[in-house]
Amino acid sequence: MSGSGRTAIAAREGYAFLLPWLVGIIGLTGGPALFSLYLSFTKYDLVTDPQWVGAANYVRIATADPKFWIAMKVTFTYIFLAVPLKLTFALSIAMLLNKGLRGLPIYRALFYLPSLLGGSVAIAILWRNMFSAGGLFNKILAIVGIQGIGWVTTPETALYTLVLLTIWQFGSPMIIFLAGLRQIPHDMYEAASMDGASPRRQFFKITLPLLTPVIFFNVIVQTIDAFKAFTSSFIISNGTGGPINATLFYTLYLFQEAFAYFRMGYAAALAWVLVLIIASFTGVSFLMSRYWVHYDD
Protein backbone atom coordinates (compact mmCIF):
# COMPACT_ATOMS: atom_id res chain seq x y z
CA MET A 1 0.00 0.00 0.00
CA SER A 2 1.31 3.41 -0.96
CA GLY A 3 2.04 6.16 1.51
CA SER A 4 -0.93 8.23 0.34
CA GLY A 5 -3.24 5.25 0.87
CA ARG A 6 -2.03 4.76 4.44
CA THR A 7 -2.47 8.49 5.08
CA ALA A 8 -6.06 8.36 3.80
CA ILE A 9 -6.86 5.38 6.04
CA ALA A 10 -5.30 7.11 9.06
CA ALA A 11 -7.34 10.23 8.28
CA ARG A 12 -10.57 8.22 8.10
CA GLU A 13 -9.73 6.52 11.39
CA GLY A 14 -9.09 9.91 12.97
CA TYR A 15 -12.44 11.23 11.76
CA ALA A 16 -14.13 8.07 13.03
CA PHE A 17 -12.74 8.73 16.51
CA LEU A 18 -13.85 12.36 16.25
CA LEU A 19 -17.34 11.41 15.07
CA PRO A 20 -18.96 11.23 18.57
CA TRP A 21 -17.59 14.70 19.38
CA LEU A 22 -18.69 16.10 16.02
CA VAL A 23 -22.20 14.68 16.50
CA GLY A 24 -22.33 16.19 19.99
CA ILE A 25 -21.05 19.64 19.03
CA ILE A 26 -23.32 19.88 15.99
CA GLY A 27 -26.40 18.09 17.30
CA LEU A 28 -26.34 19.16 20.96
CA THR A 29 -24.57 22.54 20.90
CA GLY A 30 -24.20 24.17 17.49
CA GLY A 31 -27.55 23.13 16.06
CA PRO A 32 -29.69 24.18 19.06
CA ALA A 33 -27.74 27.45 19.35
CA LEU A 34 -28.43 28.38 15.73
CA PHE A 35 -32.08 27.36 16.11
CA SER A 36 -32.40 29.56 19.20
CA LEU A 37 -30.95 32.44 17.17
CA TYR A 38 -33.74 31.91 14.64
CA LEU A 39 -36.35 31.70 17.43
CA SER A 40 -35.12 35.03 18.83
CA PHE A 41 -36.64 36.67 15.73
CA THR A 42 -39.98 34.93 16.17
CA LYS A 43 -43.02 34.74 18.41
CA TYR A 44 -43.10 31.18 19.73
CA ASP A 45 -45.03 29.56 22.58
CA LEU A 46 -44.15 25.83 22.18
CA VAL A 47 -47.70 25.11 20.91
CA THR A 48 -48.12 27.02 17.67
CA ASP A 49 -45.58 27.38 14.89
CA PRO A 50 -43.02 30.18 15.24
CA GLN A 51 -44.16 33.45 13.68
CA TRP A 52 -41.46 35.71 12.25
CA VAL A 53 -41.47 39.13 13.94
CA GLY A 54 -38.05 40.37 12.91
CA ALA A 55 -36.21 42.45 15.50
CA ALA A 56 -39.36 43.09 17.57
CA ASN A 57 -38.09 41.03 20.51
CA TYR A 58 -34.83 42.95 20.66
CA VAL A 59 -36.63 46.28 20.33
CA ARG A 60 -38.87 45.32 23.22
CA ILE A 61 -35.86 44.36 25.35
CA ALA A 62 -34.23 47.73 24.75
CA THR A 63 -37.26 50.00 24.98
CA ALA A 64 -40.32 48.39 26.56
CA ASP A 65 -39.28 45.90 29.22
CA PRO A 66 -38.56 47.47 32.63
CA LYS A 67 -38.11 44.03 34.17
CA PHE A 68 -35.13 43.42 31.88
CA TRP A 69 -33.35 46.44 33.34
CA ILE A 70 -34.20 45.31 36.88
CA ALA A 71 -32.66 41.91 36.15
CA MET A 72 -29.60 43.60 34.66
CA LYS A 73 -29.16 45.81 37.72
CA VAL A 74 -29.49 42.86 40.13
CA THR A 75 -27.09 40.73 38.09
CA PHE A 76 -24.40 43.41 37.75
CA THR A 77 -24.69 44.33 41.44
CA TYR A 78 -24.21 40.67 42.27
CA ILE A 79 -21.19 40.39 39.96
CA PHE A 80 -19.46 43.54 41.21
CA LEU A 81 -19.86 42.38 44.81
CA ALA A 82 -19.41 38.63 44.59
CA VAL A 83 -16.50 38.24 42.18
CA PRO A 84 -13.96 40.60 43.87
CA LEU A 85 -14.86 39.38 47.37
CA LYS A 86 -14.71 35.73 46.31
CA LEU A 87 -11.33 36.11 44.62
CA THR A 88 -9.91 38.13 47.51
CA PHE A 89 -10.97 35.46 49.98
CA ALA A 90 -9.68 32.68 47.72
CA LEU A 91 -6.28 34.38 47.36
CA SER A 92 -6.04 34.92 51.12
CA ILE A 93 -6.66 31.24 51.83
CA ALA A 94 -4.28 30.20 49.05
CA MET A 95 -1.49 32.33 50.53
CA LEU A 96 -2.16 30.80 53.93
CA LEU A 97 -1.96 27.28 52.50
CA ASN A 98 1.21 28.23 50.62
CA LYS A 99 3.07 28.65 53.93
CA GLY A 100 3.86 24.93 53.96
CA LEU A 101 1.27 23.68 56.43
CA ARG A 102 1.35 20.07 57.51
CA GLY A 103 -1.49 18.04 56.04
CA LEU A 104 -1.86 20.44 53.12
CA PRO A 105 -3.74 17.94 50.88
CA ILE A 106 -6.39 17.54 53.58
CA TYR A 107 -6.88 21.29 53.98
CA ARG A 108 -6.93 21.72 50.23
CA ALA A 109 -9.65 19.09 49.85
CA LEU A 110 -11.72 20.54 52.69
CA PHE A 111 -11.54 24.06 51.31
CA TYR A 112 -12.40 22.84 47.83
CA LEU A 113 -15.47 20.92 49.02
CA PRO A 114 -17.83 23.96 49.07
CA SER A 115 -17.16 24.52 45.36
CA LEU A 116 -18.46 21.02 44.68
CA LEU A 117 -21.53 21.35 46.90
CA GLY A 118 -22.34 25.06 46.77
CA GLY A 119 -24.17 25.05 43.45
CA SER A 120 -26.54 22.26 44.45
CA VAL A 121 -30.23 22.56 45.24
CA ALA A 122 -29.67 21.04 48.69
CA ILE A 123 -27.17 23.74 49.71
CA ALA A 124 -29.47 26.48 48.40
CA ILE A 125 -32.32 25.10 50.54
CA LEU A 126 -29.99 24.89 53.53
CA TRP A 127 -28.88 28.49 52.93
CA ARG A 128 -32.49 29.67 52.75
CA ASN A 129 -33.28 27.99 56.06
CA MET A 130 -30.13 29.34 57.72
CA PHE A 131 -30.98 32.95 56.87
CA SER A 132 -34.73 32.82 57.38
CA ALA A 133 -36.36 34.65 60.28
CA GLY A 134 -36.12 31.57 62.51
CA GLY A 135 -32.88 30.28 61.04
CA LEU A 136 -29.53 29.40 62.56
CA PHE A 137 -27.96 32.76 61.81
CA ASN A 138 -30.59 34.65 63.81
CA LYS A 139 -30.26 32.16 66.66
CA ILE A 140 -26.54 32.91 66.82
CA LEU A 141 -27.28 36.65 66.82
CA ALA A 142 -29.81 36.13 69.61
CA ILE A 143 -27.05 34.73 71.83
CA VAL A 144 -25.36 38.14 71.83
CA GLY A 145 -28.64 40.00 72.16
CA ILE A 146 -29.17 41.03 68.53
CA GLN A 147 -32.67 40.77 67.05
CA GLY A 148 -32.38 39.25 63.59
CA ILE A 149 -34.60 39.65 60.53
CA GLY A 150 -35.64 37.45 57.66
CA TRP A 151 -32.47 37.97 55.67
CA VAL A 152 -33.72 36.17 52.55
CA THR A 153 -37.17 37.77 52.71
CA THR A 154 -36.05 41.37 53.18
CA PRO A 155 -35.39 43.22 49.90
CA GLU A 156 -32.44 45.16 51.32
CA THR A 157 -30.54 42.03 52.41
CA ALA A 158 -31.72 39.15 50.20
CA LEU A 159 -29.11 39.68 47.47
CA TYR A 160 -26.30 39.83 50.03
CA THR A 161 -27.15 36.33 51.26
CA LEU A 162 -26.59 35.09 47.69
CA VAL A 163 -23.30 36.99 47.54
CA LEU A 164 -22.25 35.30 50.77
CA LEU A 165 -23.18 31.90 49.34
CA THR A 166 -20.99 32.59 46.32
CA ILE A 167 -18.03 33.69 48.45
CA TRP A 168 -18.37 30.44 50.39
CA GLN A 169 -17.72 28.57 47.12
CA PHE A 170 -14.15 29.86 46.91
CA GLY A 171 -12.44 26.48 46.49
CA SER A 172 -12.00 26.44 42.73
CA PRO A 173 -10.20 29.81 42.37
CA MET A 174 -8.27 29.04 45.55
CA ILE A 175 -6.74 25.90 43.99
CA ILE A 176 -5.77 27.90 40.89
CA PHE A 177 -4.26 30.68 43.01
CA LEU A 178 -2.32 28.11 45.02
CA ALA A 179 -0.89 26.59 41.84
CA GLY A 180 0.16 30.08 40.69
CA LEU A 181 1.79 30.90 44.02
CA ARG A 182 3.81 27.67 43.82
CA GLN A 183 5.31 28.87 40.51
CA ILE A 184 6.79 32.07 42.00
CA PRO A 185 10.53 31.50 42.70
CA HIS A 186 11.23 31.61 46.41
CA ASP A 187 14.62 33.23 45.91
CA MET A 188 12.87 36.42 44.80
CA TYR A 189 11.35 36.73 48.26
CA GLU A 190 14.70 35.98 49.88
CA ALA A 191 16.40 38.70 47.83
CA ALA A 192 13.64 41.18 48.68
CA SER A 193 13.95 40.34 52.39
CA MET A 194 17.70 40.92 52.28
CA ASP A 195 17.00 44.34 50.71
CA GLY A 196 14.70 45.18 53.61
CA ALA A 197 11.34 44.79 51.84
CA SER A 198 8.45 44.22 54.24
CA PRO A 199 5.95 41.37 53.67
CA ARG A 200 3.40 43.95 52.52
CA ARG A 201 5.83 45.38 49.94
CA GLN A 202 6.76 41.87 48.78
CA PHE A 203 3.09 41.11 48.22
CA PHE A 204 2.45 44.19 46.08
CA LYS A 205 5.81 44.18 44.23
CA ILE A 206 6.39 40.43 43.73
CA THR A 207 3.33 38.30 44.42
CA LEU A 208 0.65 40.34 42.69
CA PRO A 209 2.61 41.21 39.50
CA LEU A 210 3.74 37.60 38.98
CA LEU A 211 0.26 36.32 39.77
CA THR A 212 -1.58 38.60 37.33
CA PRO A 213 -2.05 35.88 34.63
CA VAL A 214 -3.74 33.68 37.22
CA ILE A 215 -5.80 36.59 38.55
CA PHE A 216 -6.88 37.42 35.00
CA PHE A 217 -7.95 33.83 34.35
CA ASN A 218 -9.92 33.65 37.59
CA VAL A 219 -11.62 37.00 36.93
CA ILE A 220 -12.79 35.84 33.49
CA VAL A 221 -14.02 32.44 34.68
CA GLN A 222 -15.70 33.65 37.86
CA THR A 223 -17.40 36.59 36.13
CA ILE A 224 -18.85 34.34 33.43
CA ASP A 225 -20.04 31.94 36.14
CA ALA A 226 -21.64 34.86 37.97
CA PHE A 227 -23.49 35.91 34.82
CA LYS A 228 -24.89 32.37 34.63
CA ALA A 229 -25.87 32.09 38.31
CA PHE A 230 -29.33 30.61 38.62
CA THR A 231 -29.88 27.85 41.18
CA SER A 232 -29.40 29.90 44.34
CA SER A 233 -31.76 32.65 43.21
CA PHE A 234 -34.39 30.19 41.99
CA ILE A 235 -34.42 28.12 45.18
CA ILE A 236 -34.15 30.93 47.72
CA SER A 237 -36.85 33.03 46.03
CA ASN A 238 -39.03 30.03 45.07
CA GLY A 239 -38.57 30.97 41.43
CA THR A 240 -40.02 34.47 41.78
CA GLY A 241 -36.84 36.55 42.06
CA GLY A 242 -38.31 38.13 45.17
CA PRO A 243 -38.69 39.76 47.49
CA ILE A 244 -39.71 42.64 45.17
CA ASN A 245 -37.32 41.40 42.43
CA ALA A 246 -34.35 41.79 44.79
CA THR A 247 -32.88 38.45 43.63
CA LEU A 248 -34.11 38.49 40.03
CA PHE A 249 -30.98 37.31 38.27
CA TYR A 250 -30.90 37.64 34.49
CA THR A 251 -30.96 33.87 34.05
CA LEU A 252 -33.96 33.57 36.36
CA TYR A 253 -35.83 36.22 34.36
CA LEU A 254 -34.96 34.35 31.16
CA PHE A 255 -36.29 31.14 32.75
CA GLN A 256 -39.53 32.84 33.73
CA GLU A 257 -40.11 34.14 30.21
CA ALA A 258 -39.43 30.72 28.70
CA PHE A 259 -41.07 28.26 31.10
CA ALA A 260 -43.54 30.34 33.14
CA TYR A 261 -44.99 32.52 30.37
CA PHE A 262 -43.95 30.31 27.40
CA ARG A 263 -42.57 33.26 25.46
CA MET A 264 -39.84 31.14 23.93
CA GLY A 265 -38.99 33.59 21.16
CA TYR A 266 -38.52 36.41 23.62
CA ALA A 267 -36.52 34.18 25.97
CA ALA A 268 -34.24 33.22 23.06
CA ALA A 269 -33.65 36.92 22.40
CA LEU A 270 -32.79 37.41 26.08
CA ALA A 271 -30.35 34.51 25.87
CA TRP A 272 -28.57 36.00 22.87
CA VAL A 273 -28.36 39.37 24.58
CA LEU A 274 -26.64 37.59 27.47
CA VAL A 275 -24.24 35.94 25.02
CA LEU A 276 -23.37 39.36 23.59
CA ILE A 277 -22.88 40.84 27.07
CA ILE A 278 -20.52 38.04 28.10
CA ALA A 279 -18.65 38.21 24.79
CA SER A 280 -18.27 41.98 25.13
CA PHE A 281 -17.00 41.68 28.70
CA THR A 282 -14.51 38.99 27.69
CA GLY A 283 -13.29 40.97 24.68
CA VAL A 284 -12.82 44.18 26.68
CA SER A 285 -11.07 42.22 29.44
CA PHE A 286 -8.54 40.79 26.97
CA LEU A 287 -7.93 44.23 25.48
CA MET A 288 -7.36 45.76 28.92
CA SER A 289 -5.19 42.86 30.10
CA ARG A 290 -2.20 44.17 28.14
CA TYR A 291 -1.96 47.06 30.62
CA TRP A 292 -1.86 45.03 33.83
CA VAL A 293 -1.24 41.34 33.13
CA HIS A 294 2.47 40.49 33.17
CA TYR A 295 3.75 37.32 31.50
CA ASP A 296 7.28 35.91 31.51
CA ASP A 297 8.34 38.17 28.66
Side-chain angles (χ1 to χ4, degrees):
M1 183 180 294
S2 65
S4 59
R6 286 193 296 269
T7 301
I9 292 175
R12 286 196 293 269
E13 291 175 347
Y15 285 120
F17 281 113
L18 285 173
L19 185 61
W21 179 84
L22 291 173
V23 171
I25 194 68
I26 295 173
L28 300 178
T29 303
L34 292 176
F35 186 63
S36 73
L37 180 59
Y38 161 73
L39 288 180
S40 71
F41 294 98
T42 67
K43 180 180 179 181
Y44 182 49
D45 59 4
L46 285 179
V47 178
T48 59
D49 292 335
Q51 300 176 11
W52 183 265
V53 295
N57 288 329
Y58 294 97
V59 172
R60 179 190 166 194
I61 289 174
T63 63
D65 187 0
K67 206 170 181 179
F68 164 79
W69 297 107
I70 293 174
M72 288 287 290
K73 178 182 177 182
V74 170
T75 301
F76 275 98
T77 302
Y78 171 78
I79 291 171
F80 288 139
L81 288 175
V83 173
L85 291 174
K86 182 178 183 179
L87 294 184
T88 300
F89 192 65
L91 178 58
S92 301
I93 299 298
M95 293 185 65
L96 180 64
L97 295 180
N98 195 43
K99 298 296 184 181
L101 299 176
R102 295 182 59 182
L104 177 61
I106 297 176
Y107 287 110
R108 193 164 49 200
L110 290 175
F111 285 133
Y112 186 72
L113 190 61
S115 289
L116 298 177
L117 302 177
S120 66
V121 173
I123 294 298
I125 294 174
L126 176 64
W127 210 258
R128 183 180 63 189
N129 292 334
M130 281 181 58
F131 289 95
S132 64
L136 178 62
F137 186 68
N138 280 345
K139 291 180 180 178
I140 295 175
L141 292 179
I143 296 176
V144 294
I146 299 176
Q147 179 66 40
I149 61 175
W151 301 94
V152 296
T153 56
T154 302
E156 291 76 17
T157 59
L159 183 61
Y160 299 110
T161 63
L162 300 185
V163 171
L164 188 60
L165 175 58
T166 300
I167 296 172
W168 180 67
Q169 303 169 41
F170 66 92
S172 178
M174 179 208 68
I175 293 294
I176 298 172
F177 277 136
L178 184 58
L181 289 170
R182 291 297 179 88
Q183 300 303 313
I184 299 177
H186 188 68
D187 55 4
M188 299 186 69
Y189 293 106
E190 293 179 349
S193 297
M194 294 178 62
D195 289 338
S198 64
R200 180 177 179 275
R201 188 170 182 82
Q202 292 178 31
F203 174 76
F204 285 103
K205 295 298 183 179
I206 298 177
T207 305
L208 276 186
L210 294 181
L211 207 60
T212 47
V214 179
I215 295 174
F216 177 61
F217 174 81
N218 272 334
V219 167
I220 294 291
V221 171
Q222 296 303 318
T223 303
I224 293 175
D225 284 345
F227 271 115
K228 299 186 298 180
F230 171 78
T231 303
S232 58
S233 174
F234 181 83
I235 296 300
I236 288 178
S237 69
N238 291 318
T240 65
I244 318 178
N245 294 328
T247 60
L248 185 65
F249 286 172
Y250 191 97
T251 51
L252 179 55
Y253 177 50
L254 192 158
F255 175 87
Q256 290 176 348
E257 288 292 321
F259 298 105
Y261 308 121
F262 296 103
R263 293 192 280 256
M264 286 292 176
Y266 190 67
L270 288 171
W272 277 96
V273 168
L274 179 60
V275 169
L276 292 176
I277 291 172
I278 293 176
S280 299
F281 161 77
T282 305
V284 171
S285 297
F286 273 94
L287 289 175
M288 297 299 295
S289 67
R290 68 182 67 179
Y291 300 108
W292 66 277
V293 179
H294 308 288
Y295 296 98
D296 290 341
D297 56 353

